Amino acid sequence: MAARYKINMFNYNSLEQSMPIFFGHAYLRWRVAMKSVISYPFRGKWGRADYRGNCSGFVIKDLLEMYKPRSFLEIFAGGGTGFEVAREMGYTDSVHLDLNPRWGGWNALKDEVPICAELIFCHPPYYDMVIYSGQVWGEAHEDDLSRARDYRDYIRKLNLVHSKLFESLPKGGRMATLLGDCRKDGAYYSIIKDMEYFGSLESHIIKIQHNANSSRRKYQGSFIPIVHEHLLIFRK
């Protein structure tokens, strides 16, 4: 166990850039079962690394290995990370949806959930930290959560999406949603505090962020940058 923590002394960025193959294999050896705090300094080979807001494939991989669902649905498929992880793990019929036309243009606010999956992974925009439609892909879309009128409108829409997803679960199914806190105009927004909860909150996992913009900036005074996310797992 001690060896696992020694890696924290390294500069992850330089190590991953200079020795990507070695780093990947070494990190896979040091991975342990999912706990209440998770950290993935190496994001993995899956999906587009340049897609803004893309999470590490190890998050999805560990969820699938932990729960071993017979069916898997990913919402906000984004850069394709979940799709590639699922296919590698043998989920040939998993479903991956997004408002992005690349993933079928599925509208989380208006369209029906197409399958009754035992595990749903949801990684929505964190308010307007990244504007997706019209900037990351395609044209601006009024039902893009990242284009909500204001924070209150965003929370209302997020609750609608979560409610729809949770209702689609079979009894005993799980919805895992990955969310981050954010700041805007000097105000701190805790999405997990303001949103509605569904069913039973089975786990609240803190995910450490690596290579986030806030961790690379220099701040003056008593400002504390945000370098974590929340993975909430609800069971029906």
Side-chain angles (χ1 to χ4, degrees), residues 31 60-69 89 91:
R31 283 177 64 227
I60 301 167
K61 182 176 177 66
D62 283 353
L63 286 171
L64 292 172
E65 289 180 345
M66 172 73 71
Y67 296 118
K68 298 178 173 55
M89 295 182 66
Y91 287 89

Side-chain angles (χ1 to χ4, degrees), residues 184-235:
K184 183 176 182 180
D185 300 327
Y188 190 102
Y189 295 97
S190 175
I191 296 171
I192 67 163
K193 176 181 73 69
D194 299 326
M195 75 182 204
E196 186 176 351
Y197 282 29
F198 297 90
S200 173
L201 177 61
E202 190 172 55
S203 293
H204 180 177
I205 299 168
I206 301 298
K207 176 184 173 293
I208 306 301
Q209 285 185 309
H210 297 274
N211 302 317
N213 288 335
S214 59
S215 64
R216 292 192 292 267
R217 295 173 182 165
K218 292 184 178 180
Y219 301 94
Q220 295 181 348
S222 57
F223 182 85
I224 300 175
I226 299 171
V227 293
H228 71 283
E229 295 163 288
H230 306 269
L231 179 62
L232 302 183
I233 302 175
F234 298 98
R235 190 170 190 185

Side-chain angles (χ1 to χ4, degrees), residues 4-19:
R4 176 175 174 265
Y5 289 99
K6 286 181 180 178
I7 194 170
N8 290 327
M9 300 171 60
F10 290 96
N11 182 315
Y12 296 120
N13 294 336
S14 61
L15 183 57
E16 184 176 352
Q17 291 170 3
S18 60
M19 303 178 69

Side-chain angles (χ1 to χ4, degrees), residues 111-229:
D111 294 337
E112 295 298 319
V113 180
I115 67 168
C116 177
E118 290 188 346
L119 176 65
I120 298 174
F121 178 71
C122 177
H123 188 199
Y126 304 166
Y127 187 22
D128 60 358
M129 287 181 63
V130 178
I131 303 297
Y132 285 94
S133 65
Q135 293 192 17
V136 175
W137 56 262
E139 298 181 357
H141 196 294
E142 63 178 359
D143 291 331
D144 176 4
L145 266 63
S146 70
R147 288 187 174 274
R149 293 190 304 273
D150 51 33
Y151 180 69
R152 187 172 182 174
D153 183 49
Y154 166 79
I155 291 296
R156 181 186 66 81
K157 290 177 177 177
L158 180 65
N159 287 338
L160 177 61
V161 173
H162 279 159
S163 175
K164 178 187 294 188
L165 296 178
F166 188 80
E167 286 302 315
S168 76
L169 290 169
K171 185 176 181 180
R174 293 177 173 88
M175 176 179 72
T177 186
L178 181 62
L179 293 157
D181 300 330
C182 55
R183 286 188 177 92
K184 183 176 182 180
D185 300 327
Y188 190 102
Y189 295 97
S190 175
I191 296 171
I192 67 163
K193 176 181 73 69
D194 299 326
M195 75 182 204
E196 186 176 351
Y197 282 29
F198 297 90
S200 173
L201 177 61
E202 190 172 55
S203 293
H204 180 177
I205 299 168
I206 301 298
K207 176 184 173 293
I208 306 301
Q209 285 185 309
H210 297 274
N211 302 317
N213 288 335
S214 59
S215 64
R216 292 192 292 267
R217 295 173 182 165
K218 292 184 178 180
Y219 301 94
Q220 295 181 348
S222 57
F223 182 85
I224 300 175
I226 299 171
V227 293
H228 71 283
E229 295 163 288

